[in-house]
Amino acid sequence: MVELKTAPEIEKMRAAGRVVARALAAVRKAAHVGVPLADLDRVARDVLGAAGATSPFLGYRPRFAPVPFPAVVCASVNDAIVHGIPGDYRLRDGDLVSIDCGAQLGGWVGDAAVSFTVGRARPEDRRLIETSEAALAAGIAAAVPGNRIGDIAHAVGTVCRAAGYGVPDGFGGHGIGRRMHEDPGVPNEGLPGRGMKLRPGMVLAIEPMLIAGGTDDYRCDGDGWTLRTVDGTRAAHSEHTVAITGRGPRILTAP
């Protein structure tokens, strides 16, 4: 069931989205060579705490997970696609890092992700990240009343495939509101004109995930959470929470 949000409710989601944006900015600023991923999680915790927000990630346990998620950010490095658990790993020069963060404030949730490099960036990593951001922008541009979920999926997938990248099979975005994951699902590839019609008041988390090697395959680490590329190539992840309005898409997790 899809819950349409009122204008005041979308404003509350925007407040949560601002917290997410501040947390991601603080984590990115703190991400230097030698810094443990666990320190980045502490930075995000501090931002959420200062805002009076809680984390929808911490303690989250979907059906596939053997244990609840133990952190407030997902920190995925190099060949990790999504859901990386921030631990003792220390960032190295040239690492490609994807940080996914959520915030719950006043009963409403925001969710966003950003990918960046630490130290000296490889040209191929810059291209991968730029393509993930372009795919996200294309998906957001398609999030207008009268379009369908398939139009968003097609826009995202077209950008990814045109650049020669893989799209992890079965993973994509989702509805969001009072809970982090709501209906409908938002695939990262699909046919235009198909799926649920988009209406004002719908709020979606649109999140392209790209695999540099061009394959769609992934594997799960022993922690039951971290998804990695099978071919060992690098991955990037970009995400925003977006409200569909009569005036066009509104990014609720923008800085």
Side-chain angles (χ1 to χ4, degrees):
M1 178 178 176
V2 175
E3 178 188 11
L4 299 180
K5 282 71 176 179
T6 65
E9 289 170 343
I10 289 174
E11 288 303 321
K12 292 179 181 179
M13 292 192 69
R14 173 59 176 145
R18 287 193 181 99
V19 177
V20 174
R22 291 200 296 272
L24 288 174
V27 167
R28 186 168 186 168
K29 184 177 181 180
H32 300 293
V33 173
V35 172
L37 295 180
D39 281 8
L40 302 183
D41 187 66
R42 282 190 283 272
V43 167
R45 286 176 190 249
D46 288 345
V47 173
L48 267 61
T54 59
S55 170
F57 290 16
L58 184 63
Y60 180 60
R61 188 180 183 183
R63 288 192 299 270
F64 68 79
V67 295
F69 195 76
V72 305
V73 299
C74 299
S76 307
V77 180
N78 296 333
D79 65 328
I81 307 167
V82 287
H83 302 164
I85 297 175
D88 295 335
Y89 177 85
R90 292 181 179 271
L91 293 170
R92 301 172 183 172
D93 187 41
D95 276 349
L96 194 166
V97 185
S98 297
I99 301 292
D100 192 353
C101 182
Q104 188 163 22
L105 183 67
W108 297 91
V109 180
D111 184 12
V114 63
S115 293
F116 55 88
T117 53
V118 175
R120 291 168 293 185
R122 307 191 308 183
E124 56 268 36
D125 289 343
R126 284 198 297 267
R127 178 175 178 266
L128 179 65
I129 293 169
E130 289 168 358
T131 305
S132 75
E133 293 170 348
L136 175 58
I140 292 171
V144 296
N147 271 0
R148 295 182 178 271
I149 290 292
D151 294 307
I152 298 175
H154 180 72
V156 169
T158 296
V159 173
C160 298
R161 296 299 188 187
Y165 297 131
V167 178
D169 187 39
F171 280 84
H174 48 88
I176 184 170
R178 301 177 193 273
R179 293 175 290 110
M180 181 167 58
H181 291 133
E182 297 183 352
D183 292 332
V186 186
N188 283 329
E189 196 166 32
L191 296 174
R194 300 289 183 89
M196 181 178 293
K197 183 173 287 189
L198 304 181
R199 299 166 59 190
M202 292 175 68
V203 183
L204 307 173
I206 301 172
E207 50 179 321
M209 307 164 196
L210 284 64
I211 297 175
T215 177
D216 298 349
D217 298 328
Y218 59 86
R219 62 179 178 84
C220 188
D221 274 1
D223 61 20
W225 279 100
T226 308
L227 301 184
R228 295 189 184 275
T229 64
V230 170
D231 59 8
T233 60
R234 294 187 170 192
H237 176 206
S238 297
E239 178 183 16
H240 270 308
T241 296
V242 181
I244 296 169
T245 79
R247 296 183 177 182
R250 182 183 179 193
I251 303 174
L252 303 183
T253 44

